[in-house]
Amino acid sequence: MTSGDVMEDRNETDSALHRLTERLEDVGEEQTRHGGRLDTFEDGLHGVRADVVRLRGDVTEVRQDVAELENAVSGTREVLDAFIEQYGRDREVARAQAELARLTTVFQTDFAQRKQTRALARGLVHTLTAHAVHRKVVNTATVRACVEERMLLEPAYWLAPAMMAVAANFRNETDQGERAQSHACTLDAAKANLFFALTSSRLGNEAAAAAWMDTYLQTLDPGELGQDFYVVLDAIASNELGEKALSYTRQAMARWNQSMHRTSAAAKWEAQMRNLRRRTSEDQYTALRETCGAQWDALRHGWELATVPGSTLDYLRRTFPDGPDGADRPVGDGRHVESALERLINQLEPDEAHLLEQMRRLERIIEHEGDLEAARQAHHSSLGPEAEPVTFMVLLDQAVFAPDAARLGPPARRMALRAIWPSLESAANQAVAESRRRLPHHITLSVAGYSWNLPTDPYQRVQSGALIDDLAARLEQQTQARSDAVVRHWPRVCGVLLFGTVTGALVVPFVDGLARGVFLLLILAVVVWVLWEVCGVSLRKRHVREQGDQLRHKAVATLANALQQREDFFAEWHESMQKLAALALWAGTSKQR
């Protein structure tokens, strides 16, 4: 290379360095300019960040203001709702108060006289009043004037002419008394007849009381008996109205019982009696249940039906310890008649009761400050069951099978029992007849695959020991046969040995790895099986013997228990059916006494 070439290369290098230097200076200037722009951008970014922070604070304040506004709106809404609700309640209270004031005025105007009429009736039917009239302590003219005034003030109220009839009896005015009685019966036959029956009894005239009671019973609807009938029945059953009234009532109750729908009534009493039957428990007659198989359900049902007479008799003896007719019944002290009279006199008429119920409903609204739902519930709970009539069947059911729910004394409940006794006896006979139809002549007991056909008559002897010995012998023979069947099967042993030998000689030498391990395990299993087959016969025989002995002991015990339970089960079955006569005797003994 010449010096000229070197100089030329050096000049090019200097020129390149110069250009590079200029470029670096340009880059520096650009960086300086960009640095200024970045500083400006950072300053702007700080300003934006400050604006964002300020905006966030403003948004938080706005959110708080909105939350406070929502709370204020919610509070205002609650206040407004409470105000509207309270306004509605106050309006209901004001409306109830105005309506109650109006109804109170109507009640005082239309029915105030009845309070005085009832007070006069109480005094007039009192025994002391009758004695006072007979001793002329009270002037009969005064009595007549009082009752006539009530008649003029309450011409459509049955109690007013009824009192006139009683007053006419005091004055011995037969014609006027009969006209007053007829008028009272025209207004309300049932109440008037009951009133005359009770007042006649109160005044000592049992014949008239019985006649009026008979008429009263004929006016009743057995499908809708009032609550007063409970008290009246107690009075009659306590012999407070005399023997004739008691006889008439028994006849009426028997007639009502016959007039009821026979199918429904019979089903009712039959269901009640069957609910009293004894039931077999799960731990009772377990061996018999196990050996009977499919027969058990029919046997159990028949056995339970047979217990109906005995269970019914036990229940009746607990409920009526003095028998169906009770002990020698003394004549009542008259408290039932007095209570019945008081209820009858105080009983409101339909128009009066309807108006009073409206007033009580309004009072409940005022008490609960206009809360209509609470007032409705309080009014409904205050009515009670006494306002509802009952059917004669319900009365009989409560008297006999639910004495705690029946508002009747023991004498009245015994009358109810006598009224339905033919139906109860018929239901008991039907239960026993069905039980007898379900009683088979023979049953089949099956134990360990062997069966025996045995009689159900508990008095027909069964050789239990022979049956047990026969079962034990059969099972012993079966075990011996199974033990003798355990022998060495030489053809099978030889075949398995041949298979193992061929496998070990022809297969194992030509395989390796996992396959060889599998075939070696197979050969080992063959050897173990052959040893067990050749040497384990005695062990297998012992195992078969042990299983056979266990089966024999269990089967023998099961059969022995089943035979004993069979005897007890069917003995109880027959004894239970025989209690039908005891049930009839319990009802007939007191009647004959």
Side-chain angles (χ1 to χ4, degrees), residues 314-450:
D314 295 338
Y315 170 78
L316 293 177
R317 282 174 175 170
R318 294 193 306 269
T319 309
F320 304 96
D322 295 332
D325 291 330
D328 295 333
R329 295 177 291 105
V331 178
D333 55 3
R335 60 185 178 90
H336 294 296
V337 169
E338 182 179 355
S339 177
L341 261 176
E342 187 68 21
R343 288 176 60 92
L344 181 61
I345 292 173
N346 291 335
Q347 188 174 3
L348 302 179
E349 294 301 291
D351 53 352
E352 189 178 3
H354 178 68
L355 186 59
L356 189 60
E357 182 183 357
Q358 289 182 331
M359 295 171 62
R360 288 175 177 171
R361 184 181 292 109
L362 294 172
E363 290 174 353
R364 295 291 182 271
I365 294 176
I366 296 173
E367 289 176 2
H368 290 81
E369 298 179 351
D371 190 344
L372 298 181
E373 181 63 23
R376 185 189 63 80
Q377 294 179 359
H379 180 71
H380 180 73
S381 62
S382 65
L383 292 178
E386 294 191 358
E388 301 177 358
V390 297
T391 63
F392 183 60
M393 183 180 293
V394 171
L395 184 145
L396 294 177
D397 184 38
Q398 291 179 350
V400 178
F401 295 103
D404 295 335
R407 296 181 297 278
L408 293 171
R413 290 193 288 107
R414 285 193 290 266
M415 283 186 65
L417 174 64
R418 273 299 178 194
I420 65 171
W421 181 255
S423 300
L424 298 183
E425 195 169 15
S426 176
N429 285 326
Q430 290 179 4
V432 171
E434 183 178 351
S435 174
R436 187 171 284 111
R437 286 195 302 270
R438 291 177 175 271
L439 178 62
H441 295 291
H442 295 83
I443 62 170
T444 301
L445 300 185
S446 299
V447 180
Y450 298 99

Side-chain angles (χ1 to χ4, degrees), residues 2 16 154 198 209 243 267 276 286 351 369 376 446 453 467 569 588:
T2 63
E154 294 284 350
L198 296 175
E243 289 292 340
L276 299 174
T286 53
D351 53 352
E369 298 179 351
R376 185 189 63 80
S446 299
N453 198 23
L467 294 178
F569 181 80

Side-chain angles (χ1 to χ4, degrees), residues 122-135 170 199 201-204 341:
R122 293 190 198 94
L124 190 63
V125 300
H126 205 282
T127 308
L128 295 178
T129 303
H131 292 167
V133 170
H134 291 314
R135 293 198 306 268
F170 289 159
T199 52
S201 173
R202 191 79 172 271
L203 299 175
L341 261 176

